[in-house]
Amino acid sequence: MARDEKALSDVVERAASILTAAGFPKMPARVLMALTVTETGGLTAGELSEQLGVSAAAISGAVRYLQTVGIARRVSQSGSRRDLWELPEDAWYEALTSKNDIYEVLAAQADAGAAAIDDPASVARARLVEMAEFYRFVGSKLPELLEQWEQVRDGQAG
């Protein structure tokens, strides 16, 4: 089947813009989407640089960020000094499950902030209490949601 490279390039840039608007750093978002649409197992930093029209330094920072958050990994190529960057299988799932503890950490910080405001009528205190409740709710529902995703992915959903 033929690939419409222009359409895929547009998808990469638009999806990266959406991720950026949601708080994801711009260059890691572009690299993530470029890795998502590649037919090969991954891309070298040079290939990413050429495809996205950016410097090697920009790619270096982006892949380091993606590696830190668990979305991309470096794979050594035998016989080459150049590493390949790829998305692990189930990259989206892995990225989300590896960050599941963040919800309780955020809730605890919100609790600490609420405790620092000794005024039950305080608007700021109410927002912090709601923040803690929200993150505890999301954290409690995430395992069930991920289990449902596993069933859908494995074709076992009813």
Side-chain angles (χ1 to χ4, degrees), residues 34-52:
L35 291 172
T36 299
V37 302
T38 187
E39 292 292 342
T40 63
L43 298 168
T44 66
E47 291 168 333
L48 285 163
S49 177
E50 182 179 326
Q51 183 176 334
L52 297 174

Side-chain angles (χ1 to χ4, degrees), residues 113-132:
I117 301 172
D118 190 23
D119 178 5
S122 166
V123 173
R125 184 179 189 288
R127 283 194 297 262
L128 288 164
V129 167
E130 183 176 2
M131 177 182 166

Side-chain angles (χ1 to χ4, degrees), residues 127-138:
R127 283 194 297 262
L128 288 164
V129 167
E130 183 176 2
M131 177 182 166
E133 290 172 353
F134 172 77
Y135 281 119
R136 285 200 175 92
F137 173 80
V138 169

Side-chain angles (χ1 to χ4, degrees), residues 20-145:
T20 300
F24 205 85
K26 182 178 181 174
M27 190 52 58
R30 293 182 71 208
V31 169
L32 170 62
M33 292 311 304
L35 291 172
T36 299
V37 302
T38 187
E39 292 292 342
T40 63
L43 298 168
T44 66
E47 291 168 333
L48 285 163
S49 177
E50 182 179 326
Q51 183 176 334
L52 297 174
V54 298
S55 70
I59 296 300
S60 177
V63 294
R64 187 172 34 252
Y65 176 86
L66 292 172
Q67 188 175 29
T68 300
V69 298
I71 297 176
R73 67 177 171 215
R74 180 189 335 224
V75 178
S76 297
Q77 295 181 296
S78 61
S80 174
R81 294 182 344 165
R82 294 185 179 163
D83 292 327
L84 197 65
W85 289 95
E86 67 179 17
L87 299 179
E89 237 178 86
D90 301 325
W92 310 105
Y93 174 86
E94 291 298 326
L96 190 56
T97 57
S98 70
K99 302 297 181 232
N100 197 16
D101 294 343
I102 192 83
Y103 300 114
E104 183 52 40
V105 172
L106 287 167
Q109 285 305 299
D111 288 341
I117 301 172
D118 190 23
D119 178 5
S122 166
V123 173
R125 184 179 189 288
R127 283 194 297 262
L128 288 164
V129 167
E130 183 176 2
M131 177 182 166
E133 290 172 353
F134 172 77
Y135 281 119
R136 285 200 175 92
F137 173 80
V138 169
S140 72
K141 296 297 182 186
L142 195 55
E144 177 184 338
L145 183 62

